[in-house]
Amino acid sequence: MAAVAILQDGPSKSAHRTGRRWRDSDEATGLALISPTLLYALALLFLPVLIVIAYSFWTQDYLTIDHTFTLENYRIALTEPIYRDLLARSLVIALVVSLVTVVFSYPVAWFISFHGGVHKNLWLFLITVPCWTSYLLRVMSWKVILGYQGVLNTGLMSTGIIETPITSLLYNSNAVVITLVHSWAAFAILPIFVSLEKIDRSLIEAAHDLGDNKVMSFLRVTLPLSLPGVISAFLIVMIPTVGDYVTPKLVGGKDGVMIATAIQAQFGKAANWPLGAALSVTTMVVVSAMAGLVVLALKLFVRWIR
Amino acid sequence: MSPPLTGAKFTGGRHGIRKSRWLPIYVTVYLGFLYLPILLLPIFSFNNAASTTFPLAGFTTKWYAALWGNGAMLDAARNSLFVGLCVAILSTGHAICAARAITRYRFRGQRAATGLIMAPLFLPEIIVAVSLLMIVLQIGIELSLATVILGQTVFCLPYAMSVLISGFEGFDRSLEEASMDLGETALGTFRRVTLPVVAPAIVSSLLVSFTISLDEFILAFFLSGTEPTLPVYIWGQLRFAAKLPSVLALGSLMLVLSILLITIAEFLRRRSQRRIQGRLANG
């Protein structure tokens, strides 16, 4: 889980210029060392994405692909009610999930950073452990918890709090949101924690000394300074969430279906790769745009509040 | 009792940051929320009933016993073990080179290269899976465990990289320079000076990659062809309500294994950081 920390800190740079030939220089050695990994990522990440983009402009003609350039797939992806609605729902769910995750995780990150004492690492480890276990199993577990004959219903009934099972727990978008918030909790806490750690504590003390109360010093000092972490948390939760496949399938029911199910169908039963590719590209572009807007909104909000 | 208006007291007086008394309660509840799903699976895996309802119906180990006679499950477990080992070695090997390049050298395009390798962290997994599926079928490679290994390695690289970068960072370069000055070759220096210091980080990266591969579902689901890994096998079983208890037993074993591996990995990563910091302090 150190990933997030590194993404924020950036790699440490070591400038070491010598007058030797380029072949022996740091630049050449560095490039030579990274090239196997880089080629691997180019071949199995960058190139495949390019192919997806190319396919999205082609057409499926029964078993062959018509390579004539067309925007028809994008027209279908954006205007056909089924895909348009799935995309809209996926975006709303991703937005809600990232918002809820960040809001609920912030106090935990704050607690660990300001009151974790000598046990900060232990706290972080405790938070991240559930995140390392199988995602599929955790979603399955939520299905067991929220089901009609599930843990929550039967538990509440055996304690006499409710008489009949609550039917609205599973198979809707709320179940999807709960499950996704649970899945991404650690991914939100870590970047926020990292940015809180960087705050010079004397700034907060100064705010207190200058007469700001707790809320004001939080809004005017802590929150703005931790904004980079909040933004990272938003992005790292929102973008992957929009394409989630397992959660809607297992706990979403009919009302919780998201775009990934439609994408998967194009590569399975429907066998329409170009449309599947166009749906993938559309999802990525739209979620990136939404992420950009959220970042902008956060920045404006913090500026306004200060 | 009325809550006091100030509602706060000074703790950790060093920084003078006020601590609300509600915050520890909130954090405890939050941890409960995080751990609830992964504690329930083991509880119900020992429950003597085919359904997951309260009150519990008594203790049994029969669901675990049934796993041993399940040939399809054992095949999937073998597949997962094989894939996990290959992915761990491949992604850690790649990440050692890349993390070393990033922490030790400076070159043009460093940021772009790092960004590309780290990109799977910021992409919806289904898009990575779909794009890999397209390129694999385009080239004409049959789906097999090998394609799962290729795909999961891309996915594990960011995690292996972060473990190794934090392990390599702060490594005292004068040790290596001294070794080179004393006549060791670059390879010999790496083997006899660098490697002993960063070894815990490397083992940690292997364990993290193995765990991710063991639990990874989407890529395996798209790329595995006819040989399922454990998560793909479980996915197939979820359609049958009667199979749920044995899935819970299998899932519990996987949870325990994941937590065990990650705990060892964290311990090693911590130790490698201490080791480097110790050398810095002494050197």
Side-chain angles (χ1 to χ4, degrees):
Chain A
M1 297 311 301
V4 183
I6 280 151
L7 287 172
Q8 289 213 332
D9 288 340
S12 70
K13 304 281 196 299
S14 48
H16 189 69
R17 295 270 169 216
T18 54
R20 287 173 296 173
R21 280 178 307 165
W22 189 82
R23 199 161 57 90
D24 299 322
S25 70
D26 272 7
E27 172 125 28
T29 324
L31 277 173
L33 258 177
I34 207 170
S35 52
T37 320
L38 190 58
L39 286 176
Y40 194 92
L42 282 171
L44 290 171
L45 193 65
F46 190 66
L47 187 62
V49 169
L50 287 186
I51 290 186
V52 169
I53 295 172
Y55 258 90
S56 70
F57 296 113
W58 296 340
T59 323
Q60 186 85 32
D61 193 7
Y62 294 101
L63 291 175
T64 55
I65 295 292
D66 179 356
H67 294 254
T68 330
F69 178 88
T70 173
L71 289 173
E72 179 63 11
N73 297 312
Y74 286 99
R75 192 196 61 76
I76 296 173
L78 288 168
T79 58
E80 283 287 318
I82 170 161
Y83 301 124
R84 198 190 53 203
D85 293 353
L86 284 182
L87 187 59
R89 182 188 294 152
S90 306
L91 288 173
V92 170
I93 288 181
L95 187 64
V96 172
V97 166
S98 50
L99 197 68
V100 172
T101 312
V102 168
V103 168
F104 280 85
S105 301
Y106 196 104
V108 180
W110 196 86
F111 176 80
I112 298 174
S113 178
F114 285 82
H115 302 294
V118 290
H119 297 300
K120 274 181 196 171
N121 277 325
L122 186 64
W123 275 109
L124 288 178
F125 181 62
L126 271 179
I127 296 280
T128 45
V129 161
C131 192
W132 286 112
T133 60
S134 166
Y135 162 63
L136 178 64
L137 291 173
R138 277 178 284 141
V139 180
M140 186 184 90
S141 190
W142 278 107
K143 192 178 174 178
V144 166
I145 293 172
L146 299 173
Y148 184 75
Q149 287 284 319
V151 172
L152 198 60
N153 269 332
T154 55
L156 288 176
M157 268 157 49
S158 64
T159 51
I161 296 175
I162 55 169
E163 300 270 309
T164 50
I166 308 167
T167 52
S168 57
L169 291 173
L170 194 61
Y171 300 131
N172 52 39
S173 24
N174 288 342
V176 174
V177 171
I178 293 175
T179 309
L180 286 173
V181 167
H182 178 263
S183 292
W184 292 95
F187 285 87
I189 290 178
L190 289 175
I192 299 174
F193 170 80
V194 169
S195 63
L196 285 173
E197 282 289 277
K198 287 184 188 155
I199 296 178
D200 186 347
R201 302 301 198 252
S202 56
L203 290 175
I204 300 167
E205 266 178 66
H208 282 298
D209 292 346
L210 293 171
D212 263 357
N213 61 22
K214 265 195 333 184
V215 177
M216 287 309 282
S217 79
F218 173 76
L219 288 177
R220 293 171 54 173
V221 180
T222 316
L223 187 61
L225 288 174
S226 64
L227 192 64
V230 173
I231 289 174
S232 302
F234 254 103
L235 298 182
I236 214 164
V237 176
M238 186 190 295
I239 297 176
T241 301
V242 81
D244 196 274
Y245 178 75
V246 174
T247 308
K249 269 274 187 188
L250 284 185
V251 303
K254 202 159 58 71
D255 299 335
V257 185
M258 287 165 66
I259 193 75
T261 309
I263 294 177
Q264 197 269 335
Q266 306 309 320
F267 291 91
K269 274 185 230 135
N272 188 344
W273 285 18
L275 181 57
L279 287 171
S280 306
V281 175
T282 311
T283 307
M284 269 317 288
V285 170
V286 175
V287 79
S288 306
M290 185 169 81
L293 285 178
V294 167
V295 170
L296 189 69
L298 277 172
K299 286 189 169 163
L300 289 177
F301 173 71
V302 162
R303 184 179 296 175
W304 170 76
I305 218 163
R306 262 209 284 203
Chain B
M1 284 225 315
S2 64
L5 275 176
T6 49
K9 59 183 178 195
F10 275 87
T11 52
R14 255 187 325 147
H15 304 306
I17 305 295
R18 286 149 196 266
K19 179 179 187 174
S20 152
R21 64 180 56 180
W22 295 108
L23 199 56
I25 299 173
Y26 175 77
V27 174
T28 313
V29 172
Y30 192 95
L31 274 179
F33 167 71
L34 282 185
Y35 278 86
L36 174 75
I38 63 171
L39 290 178
L40 274 173
L41 290 188
I43 291 175
F44 281 106
S45 71
F46 289 111
N47 190 27
N48 193 7
S51 61
T52 53
T53 52
F54 276 122
L56 295 170
F59 181 84
T60 179
T61 54
K62 67 178 174 190
W63 308 119
Y64 287 91
L67 284 180
W68 295 117
N70 184 338
M73 195 283 292
L74 292 176
D75 283 344
R78 259 192 298 275
N79 291 342
S80 270
L81 184 69
F82 173 69
V83 170
L85 287 174
C86 293
V87 170
I89 291 167
L90 262 177
S91 54
T92 303
H94 274 295
I96 288 175
C97 297
R100 170 90 174 152
I102 288 168
T103 52
R104 169 73 172 75
Y105 302 99
R106 187 179 214 176
F107 49 91
R108 261 166 287 173
Q110 186 164 358
R111 283 184 79 95
T114 316
L116 177 66
I117 295 168
M118 290 297 193
L121 271 184
F122 291 96
L123 285 173
E125 212 185 338
I126 188 146
I127 288 180
V128 180
V130 159
S131 63
L132 276 166
L133 179 74
M134 286 175 86
I135 196 165
V136 160
L137 294 180
Q138 187 80 24
I139 298 171
I141 306 172
E142 279 215 8
L143 296 180
S144 65
L145 293 182
T147 47
V148 178
I149 293 168
L150 287 177
Q152 289 192 341
T153 301
V154 176
F155 187 69
C156 282
L157 268 174
Y159 298 93
M161 287 279 283
S162 19
V163 172
L164 287 169
I165 288 176
S166 81
F168 288 0
E169 234 164 26
F171 177 75
D172 187 1
R173 262 171 54 195
S174 60
L175 291 173
E176 289 176 332
E177 276 159 16
S179 159
M180 301 278 266
D181 289 346
L182 292 170
E184 258 309 354
T185 57
L187 193 67
T189 300
F190 184 75
R191 197 170 60 81
R192 296 179 58 182
V193 179
T194 319
L195 202 56
V197 180
V198 299
I202 292 174
V203 178
S204 175
S205 159
L206 286 169
L207 293 173
V208 164
S209 311
F210 181 84
T211 311
I212 293 173
S213 162
L214 179 73
D215 292 333
E216 201 286 326
F217 170 68
I218 295 285
L219 291 165
F221 178 60
F222 275 83
L223 299 170
S224 66
T226 54
E227 300 157 288
T229 61
L230 277 176
V232 179
Y233 169 79
I234 289 177
W235 179 258
Q237 302 294 299
L238 287 178
R239 269 174 296 164
F240 315 108
K243 298 276 179 65
L244 188 61
S246 58
V247 168
L248 292 176
L250 173 60
S252 305
L253 292 177
M254 288 173 70
L255 286 181
V256 171
L257 183 61
S258 298
I259 293 176
L260 195 69
L261 292 176
I262 282 307
T263 310
I264 299 172
E266 171 72 7
F267 175 77
L268 288 170
R269 196 182 64 83
R270 204 83 64 72
R271 198 168 80 167
S272 87
Q273 272 179 340
R274 263 207 306 276
R275 206 182 274 191
I276 288 168
Q277 278 155 9
R279 290 216 177 180
L280 282 178
N282 296 334

